[in-house]
Each structure stands twice: as C-alpha cells, then as structure tokens.
Amino acid sequence: MTPYLPSLAGGLLIGLSAILYLVLTGRIAGISGILGRFVQGGSPLLNGAFVLGLVLGPVVFRSASGSWPQVTITAGLPLAILAGMLVGIGTRMGSGCTSGHGILGLARLSPRSIAAVVTFLAAGIVTVTLMRGSL
C-alpha cells in the first residue's frame, strides 16, 4: 500500500460524508457544530452517528490496513489541553471549525469561510513559527 492511499481514502470519505450531511440535513458538516449539538442533545441520532463514526474511524482503518493509524503528539498534556481549549474558543468565535469552513465553506465560495480559513492558516503558521523558535 502506498503511503498516500489512506490519505486519499480518508479525504474521499470526509468529502462524501460532508456532502451527504449537507444533502440530507441542509447543514454544514463541521465537527465542532455537530459535537456541540450532540452534547446539547440536538438531533441525537444523526449527530451521535457522526460522532460515533469519528470514534470508530481508527478501528475501521485498523481493520482495513492491519495497523493502527500513526499519530505523533510531541506536546505535553498541559500544552495539548491549552491548545484544545483555544481551538474550542476559536471555533465559537469563528462560528465553525476548519472542517466546516475548510471543506464545505470553501467549496461553496463562502466569503466568511475564506476569511476563516485564511485566519486559521495564518494563526497556525505563526504558532508553529513561535513554538519552534524560528524567528
């Protein structure tokens, strides 16, 4: 198996699921919005199925490839928690996350999503540059 095949398959599945979610519900398939609605009890079956799919994704990958997906996290737990909290605040401020704005928002040429993705990318570049001490 080439190293690109799992990424290609994952991208195709993300795109397919986002399109199906949009067609079936009329809503953008952003992870933060779906998770937020699930936690608040909105459409528990649909949103729960989406969240369950996220959790079971690595299991399906392991079944197909025979190994777990490789994940490398070099940050410590406190920094990972802080980063997660900042992402949560950012998704609330931006009315969506990278998946919603980046996958469907850009495909719909939404000006708000274009601004959000540019902001996400710029913040990511600045963060990585500062964290690696490259300035």
Side-chain angles (χ1 to χ4, degrees):
M1 177 185 301
T2 71
Y4 304 107
L5 194 55
S7 301
L8 176 63
L12 290 173
L13 288 173
I14 288 171
L16 178 64
S17 64
I19 291 170
L20 284 173
Y21 193 82
L22 179 64
V23 169
L24 295 175
T25 68
R27 301 193 74 143
I28 301 296
I31 304 302
S32 62
I34 292 171
L35 184 59
R37 285 189 294 276
F38 178 69
V39 170
Q40 294 171 353
S43 302
L45 185 61
L46 179 63
N47 293 323
F50 203 99
V51 172
L52 184 63
L54 290 174
V55 173
L56 292 180
V59 176
V60 172
F61 179 87
R62 186 179 192 286
S63 298
S65 70
S67 64
W68 291 102
Q70 292 182 351
V71 177
T72 303
I73 300 173
T74 57
L77 185 59
L79 185 58
I81 290 172
L82 175 65
M85 291 175 62
L86 290 174
V87 168
I89 292 169
T91 59
R92 283 295 180 193
M93 290 176 65
S95 298
C97 60
T98 51
S99 58
H101 285 298
I103 296 170
L104 285 174
L106 290 182
R108 296 180 317 125
L109 300 176
S110 164
R112 185 177 77 159
S113 292
I114 292 169
V117 170
V118 168
T119 303
F120 296 153
L121 290 175
I125 290 169
V126 169
T127 302
V128 169
T129 301
L130 290 174
M131 295 298 291
R132 291 187 177 174
S134 301
L135 288 179

